[in-house]
Amino acid sequence: MAASAPRRDRLIALTSTRVLLSHTQSYPGPGAVFFSPTSGRVVDIQSEHFTSIPFHLVDAFAEYDVSIVNVSPHVILPGLVDTHVHLNSPGRTEWEGFETGTRSAIAGGITTVVDMPLNSIPPTTSVANLKTKVDAAKAEGIWCDVGFWGGIVPENARGETKRELKAMVKSGVRGFKGFLCPSGVDEFGTIREVAIESAMQELWGTGAVVMFHAELAHDEDGWSHLESYDGDGDDFQVLGNDDQGGNAHLATSNCYPKSYMSFLASRPSLLETNAIDRLIRIAERVISSQKAEKLAHSGGTEERAPTSPTSDGPGLKLHIVHLSSAQSISKLAHAAERWSATDLQITAETCHHYLMFSSDSIPDGDTRFKCCPPVRSSKNREALWEDLTGVQKKGVISTIVSDHSPCPPAFKLLPTDVAGATMDERQDVNINPESPEAGEQGDFTKAWGGISSLGLSLPLLNTERRKGRPFELNDVVRWCCYNTAKQAGVQNRKGTLAVGKDADIAVFDDTLEWIVGSHRPSSETRMHVREREGMHWRHQCSPNDGMALEGRVLQTWLRGTKVWDLKEGFVGQPMGRTLLE
């Protein structure tokens, strides 16, 4: 019997007339991305579109079994990286969970998410708690790759306990988040100035980014009296603000709790500028302290001292999460210009909801729009866009993220006539909290603050592009792929398509029109539960419900394997990995 031929390694060539490999490429062009489903890595890239292997490539790929997948005229681009996601597991899995959250991401072409440290129980504030969270992710199953942020809280930011921060870096957290105001959950406490400075000193030179929820109301010591405001859900006292830009002050009168404008007035832009001023001053003290220490160790010769002890990047990476107020942009830009890139890197992110919505059009009582910091005016929204796309842009905002922060619909206190007020229809969920009392329905002072939009990044931004905003798809790749991957420290594997990197790919139809939340007949998909278009979260409650969008992810490939198809639904089983290296 003749010996059988040796089995050849399999490659897939995903090809189109429109391929966008990275943010440095101005427009999509013809190309093909060759990748191995076995290794999960890109092995070759060609700058031509084909339906069969071209003659001049036959010899190069003779040893492989190549399958050509032609998706022309749709766009091939890198899988997105969303660095601000609350998956709430373990402890509050009924709010979201790893499995449902990562399904949402994959269906939107997001191949990597980084999970925030709070709203799970326990929070990710120690090595032991990180292990608990990783174990929960593996047990539930994850559809995309998942990284983890750590948390800075009073229990780990001072004295001997601050050593836990570096231990968490060694264990794989991508950086840390802290709150200058109450977080809304008891297990994740507010940190004050001494603790912030201590944490920054401890993390100097580690390469870990230090991120903050930046809202702060001044008192005589510069710190907030907000003892019970809703960072993410509990009751809060209302903050007033004078029109002259003076200090925010507590006020509890003349507030209509169902009025969005009253809620907005309770959280003025001043809170963000206060917080950012404070963080910059703390960072400057840390830099001065580090410089003095280097001089002391180098015998007074600054040039002989290394800038950062354990990384090649800046000594301190400071990042402002969910920037909502354009008033803070100039402050951040000035601080970034004032300090050397080897000392301080300052970046900020904004979110879909600050770019898509405005306070002018939010109905009273529709608490789906409640988030903290709040959605502001249309003038403010345009100023955020100006920093991203305008001629005079300062480049402070480097990333656009979802800040996906879901909860059971009952926690939103929605009026019964608002979409999403009823419990979701997923067959695998068994939650039935009582409906809010009629007097509480639509109460912005009591509703949970958080918006669900994970998986909608590409369609939302593409719709703005199609409307005429001055940016292209390569800008979306910059904001949502490359810069987010860089922020999370995974740019060596994620964020662009290049030989040796993970074959994380989204296939995008940038002209397909659809409506968020419309129903698909269950016979058209292989989804194992009934879901509404674009809303794969555990609870299908979102202010994006009903929006008409242009652009839809048709396929998502994770490390060389197709895991989502618009026609087929979710393909195979969850194959995401935790990113801890």
Side-chain angles (χ1 to χ4, degrees):
M1 180 181 294
S4 60
R7 184 175 181 179
R8 296 188 298 173
D9 291 335
R10 180 172 177 247
L11 293 182
I12 295 174
L14 196 61
T15 181
S16 175
T17 54
R18 304 173 70 206
V19 177
L20 187 60
L21 300 173
S22 78
H23 60 291
T24 61
Q25 184 180 335
S26 297
Y27 299 98
V33 181
F34 290 77
F35 51 86
S36 166
T38 303
S39 70
R41 301 294 179 95
V42 177
V43 299
D44 192 64
I45 292 174
Q46 295 292 324
S47 57
E48 57 184 312
H49 168 248
F50 48 76
T51 55
S52 61
I53 295 294
F55 179 77
H56 64 91
L57 295 178
V58 169
D59 289 343
F61 292 97
E63 62 184 283
Y64 298 101
D65 180 10
V66 181
S67 299
I68 298 174
V69 179
N70 177 26
V71 296
S72 190
H74 306 307
V75 183
I76 294 172
L77 69 161
L80 278 65
V81 179
D82 192 333
T83 52
H84 196 140
V85 175
H86 294 268
L87 295 175
N88 302 341
S89 183
R92 292 189 175 98
T93 307
E94 70 275 14
W95 292 27
E96 185 59 275
F98 283 102
E99 198 271 343
T100 55
T102 56
R103 278 164 53 90
S104 307
I106 280 294
I110 299 169
T111 51
T112 302
V113 300
V114 187
D115 181 52
M116 280 292 165
L118 72 159
N119 296 352
S120 59
I121 301 175
T124 317
T125 53
S126 68
V127 172
N129 290 359
L130 172 64
K131 182 180 184 302
T132 299
K133 181 165 280 193
V134 171
D135 289 347
K138 293 178 178 178
E140 291 181 40
I142 48 180
W143 285 88
C144 68
D145 288 351
V146 178
F148 302 91
W149 298 119
I152 302 174
V153 291
E155 293 81 3
N156 66 12
R158 297 182 62 183
E160 292 298 313
T161 62
K162 69 181 180 182
R163 295 180 180 177
E164 191 73 12
L165 299 178
K166 283 185 177 176
M168 291 174 70
V169 173
K170 292 179 180 178
S171 297
V173 300
R174 320 310 304 184
F176 295 87
K177 180 183 181 181
F179 276 75
L180 276 70
C181 55
S183 70
V185 290
D186 293 339
E187 65 274 5
F188 201 94
T190 306
I191 50 173
R192 294 204 166 208
E193 186 161 347
V194 173
I196 293 171
E197 185 170 346
S198 175
M200 285 183 176
Q201 294 278 14
E202 183 71 7
L203 293 169
W204 178 274
T206 62
V209 61
V210 186
M211 310 181 299
F212 291 96
H213 179 128
E215 285 185 289
L216 178 65
H218 282 178
D219 63 10
E220 64 273 12
D221 299 317
W223 286 94
S224 174
H225 283 299
L226 286 167
E227 297 303 329
S228 60
Y229 95 75
D230 175 4
D232 274 309
D234 295 332
D235 294 352
F236 66 91
Q237 290 179 299
V238 178
L239 284 170
N241 181 41
D242 67 5
D243 292 335
Q244 305 304 315
N247 287 348
H249 58 277
L250 289 175
T252 56
S253 61
N254 301 320
C255 173
Y256 175 49
K258 297 184 181 182
S259 164
Y260 185 80
M261 297 309 292
S262 290
F263 168 64
L264 177 61
S266 78
R267 314 196 68 96
S269 293
L270 182 64
L271 270 68
E272 287 189 83
T273 56
N274 284 348
I276 287 168
D277 279 342
R278 181 56 54 97
L279 288 168
I280 290 171
R281 290 201 295 271
I282 297 171
E284 289 173 341
R285 289 204 303 269
V286 171
I287 293 169
S288 297
S289 172
Q290 290 291 329
K291 285 181 174 289
E293 184 177 344
K294 291 171 190 174
L295 282 171
H297 286 140
S298 62
T301 305
E302 186 173 4
E303 287 75 16
R304 290 169 50 193
T307 298
S308 56
T310 60
S311 77
D312 296 327
L316 178 64
K317 296 180 178 180
L318 175 62
H319 183 79
I320 305 301
V321 299
H322 46 50
L323 183 72
S324 77
S325 172
Q327 292 182 21
S328 302
I329 290 173
S330 59
K331 291 179 179 291
L332 291 166
H334 180 65
E337 292 168 357
R338 191 162 66 247
W339 289 99
S340 165
T342 59
D343 293 321
L344 178 64
Q345 172 186 291
I346 297 181
T347 54
E349 69 190 39
T350 194
C351 305
H352 311 145
H353 34 277
Y354 302 132
L355 297 171
M356 306 298 148
F357 303 126
S358 68
S359 57
D360 321 41
S361 58
I362 296 177
D364 288 350
D366 194 344
T367 51
R368 293 177 302 174
F369 290 89
K370 182 184 176 181
C371 59
C372 300
V375 173
R376 304 192 186 278
S377 68
S378 56
K379 181 179 179 181
N380 180 83
R381 178 188 63 195
E382 295 309 307
L384 294 175
W385 274 114
E386 173 67 23
D387 189 63
L388 286 163
T389 67
V391 175
Q392 302 298 324
K393 64 184 178 182
K394 298 180 183 296
V396 166
I397 303 172
S398 59
T399 56
I400 300 174
V401 296
S402 67
D403 188 11
H404 178 69
S405 185
C407 68
F411 288 35
K412 275 292 189 182
L413 305 181
L414 288 171
T416 55
D417 60 342
V418 173
T422 57
M423 297 310 297
D424 75 54
E425 300 162 334
R426 299 174 62 94
Q427 298 170 6
D428 55 350
V429 178
N430 184 21
I431 307 169
N432 190 27
E434 294 182 2
S435 298
E437 298 293 333
E440 293 182 331
Q441 292 179 5
D443 189 334
F444 280 98
T445 68
K446 295 182 178 180
W448 181 266
I451 288 177
S452 295
S453 63
L454 183 57
L456 296 180
S457 306
L458 267 176
L460 286 170
L461 293 171
N462 182 68
T463 300
E464 291 295 309
R465 180 182 74 91
R466 300 274 295 180
K467 288 178 179 178
R469 287 200 183 273
F471 67 91
E472 298 297 335
L473 286 175
N474 70 314
D475 294 304
V476 178
V477 171
R478 177 183 296 107
W479 300 324
C480 302
C481 301
Y482 178 74
N483 284 350
T484 45
K486 187 176 180 181
Q487 178 196 347
V490 295
Q491 71 273 22
N492 63 322
R493 294 179 55 183
K494 312 287 187 180
T496 60
L497 293 174
V499 173
K501 288 195 170 187
D502 288 352
D504 293 350
I505 300 171
V507 178
F508 185 56
D509 181 344
D510 63 334
T511 63
L512 181 62
E513 297 180 1
W514 62 291
I515 296 176
V516 178
S518 59
H519 284 281
R520 298 178 73 185
S522 57
S523 61
E524 290 186 8
T525 75
R526 289 169 44 201
M527 300 180 199
H528 67 274
V529 292
R530 186 182 179 202
E531 291 176 331
R532 296 164 63 204
E533 290 280 15
M535 301 173 70
H536 302 283
W537 324 296
R538 185 177 293 276
H539 303 291
Q540 294 165 23
C541 173
S542 171
N544 300 107
D545 195 353
M547 288 183 69
L549 299 181
E550 290 187 64
R552 194 78 191 268
V553 173
L554 304 181
Q555 297 177 5
T556 305
W557 298 71
L558 178 65
R559 283 178 277 102
T561 298
K562 187 169 72 170
V563 290
W564 162 258
D565 187 289
L566 183 60
K567 293 181 178 179
E568 301 175 26
F570 298 94
V571 181
Q573 298 298 315
M575 55 170 288
R577 296 175 181 172
T578 55
L579 303 176
L580 297 171
E581 72 281 358

